[in-house]
Amino acid sequence: MLKNIDWLDVSENHLSGEIPRAIGECLSIESLLLQGNSFNGTIPSSLASLKGLRYLDLSRNRFSGSIPDVIQNISGLKYLNISFNLLDGEVPTDDVFGNETQVAMIGNNKLCGAIYLRRKRNQKLSFDSPTIDQLSKVSYQDLHQGTDGFSYRNLIGSGSFGSVYKGNLESEDNIVA
């Protein structure tokens, strides 16, 4: 079995079906990269048993249903990307994920609720329906610099309309996508 595996990357392989429940038996896994496949069904509750999981990327698949509550039970999670799936329901409140967790969930058009940007000073800025006055104009140079030249390590997800990067814009004093 794969109980002692630390890192599993099967991204971009056109895999399909549900995530095998045996993944939940990989007790020492820190990184699980499943993006860019055709996995479907719901996000399995067996992921909650992965207490050492730090990096989870399920983006660009065909997962459906709501964002499972079990994700909040992964206490050490630092990065979660569930972008570009078929998820629906309520977006979890910002406190569901720890202060240190980076979460990407764009491209799930049936999700509803507030979207939060975590500010450097641990302030929350809610953008339920931003107006033009709330949005700043940003130059290409600022975007290029803030994303470290659109570095792959800052890539959150990509789809038919292009790629989305996280960046740190000095003029905004927060991390943006």
Side-chain angles (χ1 to χ4, degrees):
M1 255 339 208
L2 302 173
K3 289 184 181 187
N4 295 319
I5 193 167
D6 293 330
W7 182 25
L8 179 61
D9 183 352
V10 293
S11 57
E12 311 297 338
N13 278 300
H14 305 289
L15 299 174
S16 61
E18 294 185 358
I19 294 178
R21 298 209 187 281
I23 290 288
E25 297 173 10
C26 300
L27 301 178
S28 64
I29 195 164
E30 291 183 16
S31 295
L32 181 57
L33 310 173
L34 304 176
Q35 72 270 20
N37 286 293
S38 294
F39 286 115
N40 58 32
T42 58
I43 297 173
S45 60
S46 62
L47 294 179
S49 64
L50 304 177
K51 300 299 182 193
L53 192 61
R54 302 290 176 257
Y55 190 92
L56 176 60
D57 195 333
L58 303 174
S59 64
R60 296 179 290 129
N61 278 288
R62 302 190 53 77
F63 292 113
S64 59
S66 60
I67 299 170
D69 293 336
V70 298
I71 298 244
Q72 66 187 327
N73 295 333
I74 306 172
S75 60
L77 195 62
K78 299 291 182 198
Y79 179 84
L80 170 66
N81 191 345
I82 52 176
S83 299
F84 300 102
N85 279 288
L86 304 171
L87 299 172
D88 58 28
E90 192 78 23
V91 172
T93 58
D94 192 45
D95 60 344
V96 168
F97 306 106
N99 281 337
E100 301 298 317
T101 305
Q102 295 179 16
V103 181
M105 58 182 79
I106 59 172
N108 291 290
N109 297 335
K110 294 181 181 178
L111 287 176
C112 61
I115 298 172
Y116 295 91
L117 295 176
R118 186 169 290 128
R119 299 175 73 80
K120 283 183 179 176
R121 294 184 198 95
N122 292 327
Q123 298 170 333
K124 293 177 189 173
L125 178 61
S126 176
F127 276 32
D128 289 323
S129 298
T131 65
I132 296 300
D133 294 330
Q134 289 175 299
L135 303 175
S136 301
K137 292 183 180 178
V138 180
S139 71
Y140 178 82
Q141 182 178 6
D142 288 344
L143 288 174
H144 191 268
Q145 182 179 1
T147 60
D148 195 21
F150 298 100
S151 168
Y152 182 75
R153 71 182 180 329
N154 289 323
L155 181 67
I156 292 174
S158 59
S160 59
F161 292 103
S163 299
V164 177
Y165 294 85
K166 70 177 178 178
N168 188 356
L169 303 179
E170 292 178 0
S171 63
E172 296 296 319
D173 196 29
N174 61 17
I175 296 174
V176 298

